[in-house]
């Protein structure tokens, strides 16, 4: 009879191998309603594990209301709030709809989604195109007005124009872009300057060939020129497709999702299916982009972008992006020691994702809840900092809270120790 | 009375400060004839220190003849050779005409030159746009035919289209591009992938706005999309402008030029004016792009691209580009130790040019011939490898030969020790 440990090892090997064998390719941009399984006109998605609307942090709570207004479902904020509270509007995690959303992660029917497809595991992953940094933080009304103006532009210009260009290609493979970005000083979570230029390079000719309206093409090129985070939405969508392919492998102790809603940090574990294990979201250690802001303005850890650490990137490979050390008053040695510590809690190294300045060490990938608990060492997350009234106001690092992993390990023991007795 | 050592230190401080204060900006692309001081229709320039045509290595000798034919000065190769030997065609180093040329460096009247201007020192620097890798190495006639086809395209399409786009901007500052490239895994000599994407990003909108012929725009975008060395010609032209600004400072022991013609390596020293100090060019340690080639096919060290090491980049900052270690079977530790050794022979560190994965150490810049001779340690040059019949067939590293520096130091002593007695 196979021992429990052998079953776990075999299951984890299978889970890890799915991350390695995946070939996610960016194939399209489409409105959420037409691509997300289960999406409706009355659904608004958010980042992180499930949370009741009334318990959300400021920007997420506000974002859901704005999305209801933006989709034309309600006449005013009071009306929108009533619909949300009565359940006429479904509020649910992006993660439950095949998607991941950066920061607050607000995704509604019209949101243009990057569509990534992995033919090896026949899996899709989706993530909304970024609105870019929004100004007008002085009051929430200014912020919301600006954000909604950008949503409209993303839906009517960027999404359709870029989608048409991408469809005219054979698809743009995401893993080679990530591998190249790692050679260009990105860790593919907080820094995406290299990856975004690689994508820009891949898009120029298709854009030029498929966009017949010079004014629109100009607007799109303007946006791509300054948006140094553009490639993150593709990496995130690819990460979601990859991580979803590792789900539901009995006996696997590998983490298959990590996300935050600004209140709670949540994880899923392959062998434990769709159950969330949560703990309070952490404070972020970092720098604010302006001295007008401080910790008092910041929301705790928020966003689905920790899908990048789930597949071994971001904080796990931070030595690839030494410039980010400036956000944490760090050093190259600090960055390499973080990577080395992530090797202690992961199943293996993905050699496709190399860290050149660590002699091409592969990304430490496949977080094992047993190792996390044993080492009392949780994943390091590179992340942006959100303002309580909306908008990105800084960047830095944080750690996943220990209790998620401890809860999950207890649940794992309860399920599988019993079975094997 | 000021001591000799004080005079040298003051002169070197001045020389080094000129490298730091320079602000080279890419402002135009123009044919060599209309911008290079002293250029004529009957002049062909080459890389490296002066050399008689009959003593040149294969690709350079061949290139001069092809340039004479390309400019319509001769009817056939025999005719061209006769004109060269009789002096009807002037053959001279790029360096003596304000320019630098990659590899063989063949530059004739029609060659499209990147024009870089430093308003701080009122200095120009020029370098030809790259033809890109030429195939057809099976025999020299195929190679030459292909190369000349590309020259024509560079002159009639790339140069005019890109020149017009650049003129429509305020100019594109080269130092910030280099600084950014260093953050993106380039050392700005053998690797220019990051810098070329940064330039692509800066050029797209100007190209789109100024090029009215869609077919030509398409050709130019096609070229830029795949040319990962494009930014090198801008860095080289900027390097030439910067290094020229450090020339002719009495008492300075700083190197103001380093270049190779495939037979000899030559340097100039600021305090010694325009005199060349030469020694045989070195073999290159590296990898060939195909197993069909070996050392027997390779020309010794060739090209003016060592202007990059002259201003402290390339081999001097190779830890910024760990991927290049693959060419020399190296490691990240080897790369950092090379950088540290270059600190021993240079005057200071340019903090504008930071090496992120060495805790933002500045580039070791300003080669001091005294330090080179004292330490018996010569500059490390990252470089491509040329085939004897033309074309780039590999890449690697080499070292400047010691004797150039020893000759120069003897000349320096002869001039300045006498004066101070």
């Amino acid at each position: 009879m196979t021992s429990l440990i052998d079953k776990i090892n075999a299951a984890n090997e299978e889970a890890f191998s799915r991350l390695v064998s995946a070939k996610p390719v960016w194939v399209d941009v489409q409105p959420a309603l037409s691509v997300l399984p289960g999406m409706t006109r009355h659904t608004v998605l958010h980042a992180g594990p499930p949370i009741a609307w009334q318990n959300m942090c400021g920007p997420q709570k506000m974002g859901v209301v704005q999305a209801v207004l933006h989709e034309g479902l309600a006449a005013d904020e009071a009306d929108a709030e009533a619909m949300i509270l009565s359940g006429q509007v479904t509020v649910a995690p992006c993660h439950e709809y095949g998607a991941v959303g950066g920061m607050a992660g607000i995704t509604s029917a019209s949101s243009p989604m990057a569509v990534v497809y992995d033919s090896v595991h026949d899996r899709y992953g989706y993530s909304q195109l970024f609105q870019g940094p929004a100004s007008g933080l002085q009051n929430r009304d200014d912020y919301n007005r600006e954000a909604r103006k950008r949503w409209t532009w993303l839906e009517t210009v960027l999404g359709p124009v870029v989608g048409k260009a991408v469809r005219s290609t054979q698809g743009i493979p995401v893993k080679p872009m990530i591998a190249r970005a790692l050679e260009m000083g990105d860790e593919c979570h907080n820094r995406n300057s290299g990856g975004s230029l690689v994508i820009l390079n891949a898009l120029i000719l298709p854009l030029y060939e498929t966009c017949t309206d010079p004014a629109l093409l100009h607007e799109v090129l303007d946006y791509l020129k300054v948006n140094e985070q553009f490639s993150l939405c593709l990496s995130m969508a690819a990460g979601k497709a990859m991580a979803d392919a590792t789900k539901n492998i009995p006996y696997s102790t590998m983490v298959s999702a990590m996300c935050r809603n600004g209140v709670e940090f949540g994880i899923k574990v392959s062998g434990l299916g769709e159950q969330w294990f949560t703990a309070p979201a952490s404070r972020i250690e970092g720098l604010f982009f302006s001295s007008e802001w401080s910790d008092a303005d910041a929301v705790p850890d928020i966003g689905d972008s920790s899908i990048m650490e789930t597949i071994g990137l971001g904080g796990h490979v931070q030595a690839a992006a030494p410039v980010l050390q400036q956000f944490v008053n760090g050093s190259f040695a600090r960055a390499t020691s973080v990577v080395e510590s992530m090797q202690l809690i992961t199943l293996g190294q993905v050699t496709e994702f190399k860290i050149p300045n660590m002699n091409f060490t592969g990304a430490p990938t496949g977080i094992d809840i047993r190792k996390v608990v044993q080492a009392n060492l949780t994943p390091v997350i590179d992340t942006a900092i959100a303002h309580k009234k909306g908008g990105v106001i800084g960047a830095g690092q944080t750690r996943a809270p220990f209790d998620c992993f401890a809860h999950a390990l207890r649940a794992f023991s309860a399920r599988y120790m019993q079975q094997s007795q």
Side-chain angles (χ1 to χ4, degrees), chain A residues 5-65:
Chain A
I5 190 83
D6 287 344
K7 286 179 184 168
I8 292 174
N9 287 343
N12 284 343
E13 230 171 83
E14 172 63 22
F16 185 81
S17 78
R18 291 189 193 172
L19 291 177
V20 172
S21 60
K23 294 203 186 305
V25 175
W26 181 26
V27 293
D28 206 347
V29 177
Q30 289 292 343
L33 185 66
S34 58
V35 286
L36 297 192
M39 191 67 186
T40 72
R41 290 210 175 275
H42 288 75
T43 304
V44 178
L45 306 178
H46 63 82
I51 184 169
W53 176 76
Q54 53 272 41
N55 298 331
M56 285 179 174
C57 68
Q60 198 166 59
K61 197 171 178 182
M62 191 166 94
V64 173
V65 172

Side-chain angles (χ1 to χ4, degrees), chain A residues 106-306:
Chain A
I106 305 303
T107 301
S108 59
S110 313
S111 303
M113 309 297 288
V115 180
V116 167
Y117 178 63
D118 167 23
S119 62
V120 175
H121 303 102
D122 192 21
R123 283 268 174 194
Y124 283 91
Y126 307 92
S127 188
Q128 359 95 301
L129 303 187
F130 295 135
Q131 65 179 52
S135 56
L137 280 172
Q138 290 69 24
N139 70 65
R140 56 187 290 285
D141 291 335
D142 284 354
Y143 176 78
N144 286 332
R145 200 162 27 241
E146 175 66 15
R148 283 183 49 192
K149 207 166 76 187
R150 295 195 189 194
W151 289 354
T152 302
W153 184 80
L154 294 176
E155 291 160 13
T156 57
V157 179
L158 188 71
V161 169
V162 170
K164 193 174 177 191
V166 174
R167 287 192 299 276
S168 80
T169 69
Q170 307 283 310
I172 297 174
V174 181
K175 274 186 167 178
M177 177 276 282
I178 290 174
R180 196 115 173 91
L182 289 173
E183 290 182 354
M184 298 177 76
D186 291 356
E187 36 68 275
C188 306
H189 186 166
N190 265 6
R191 184 173 167 94
N192 299 286
S193 307
S196 296
L197 285 173
V198 169
I199 291 296
L200 177 71
N201 193 31
L203 278 185
I204 292 170
L205 284 170
L207 277 173
Y208 184 64
E209 283 161 2
T210 59
C211 182
T212 49
D213 181 333
L216 292 191
L217 179 53
H218 208 289
E219 286 180 23
V220 168
L221 291 175
D222 258 338
Y223 168 90
L224 292 173
K225 180 181 163 67
V226 298
N227 194 328
E228 294 191 35
Q229 305 292 357
F230 185 76
S231 61
L232 179 56
C233 67
L234 310 179
S235 303
M236 283 173 60
K240 174 64 174 165
M242 290 165 65
D244 273 4
T246 70
K247 276 184 171 179
N248 297 311
I249 301 172
Y251 292 98
S252 172
T253 54
M254 198 176 93
V255 171
S256 58
M258 290 200 294
C259 58
R260 318 85 96 196
N261 57 32
V263 177
E264 284 191 314
F265 193 108
I267 70 169
K268 289 186 179 182
V269 176
S270 174
L272 297 172
E274 299 299 339
Q275 191 179 348
W276 288 104
F277 301 93
T278 64
S282 313
R283 176 191 164 269
I284 296 153
E285 179 199 359
L287 273 186
F288 295 97
F289 299 146
S290 156
S291 58
E292 70 191 283
W293 298 308
S294 70
D295 267 0
D297 301 298
V299 173
D301 200 13
I302 188 168
D304 289 335
S305 54
S306 45

